[in-house]
Amino acid sequence: MSQFDGENGHPAYVAVDGVVYDLSNIPAWAGGKHHGLTAGKDHAEAILKAPHGKSVLAKLPVVGKLV
């Protein structure tokens, strides 16, 4: 996951509950950063604290699952 950090032309991916989402085309995640979070990591805990919660995930492309 760490290579998908959104920096230097890499895609920006995050995992939540074992599902990996592509945030590369989300302007709020430009450069792989968003409100102190960085792409390339599991953000299951952080999404629970976000104002939008998990509802935003349904709008994102799924690119894989963690095993």
Side-chain angles (χ1 to χ4, degrees):
M1 278 285 301
S2 63
Q3 73 252 28
F4 302 108
D5 60 5
E7 296 182 23
N8 302 316
H10 295 135
Y13 294 173
V14 298
V16 176
D17 297 334
V19 179
V20 181
Y21 299 91
D22 185 349
L23 304 172
S24 302
N25 295 317
I26 306 299
W29 277 89
K33 295 181 178 23
H34 178 65
H35 294 290
L37 301 174
T38 55
K41 299 180 180 177
D42 186 316
H43 286 300
E45 291 289 323
I47 195 83
L48 296 175
K49 297 174 186 174
H52 50 65
K54 293 182 180 181
S55 65
V56 71
L57 299 176
K59 302 174 188 174
L60 300 173
V62 173
V63 292
K65 294 190 180 217
L66 298 178
V67 291

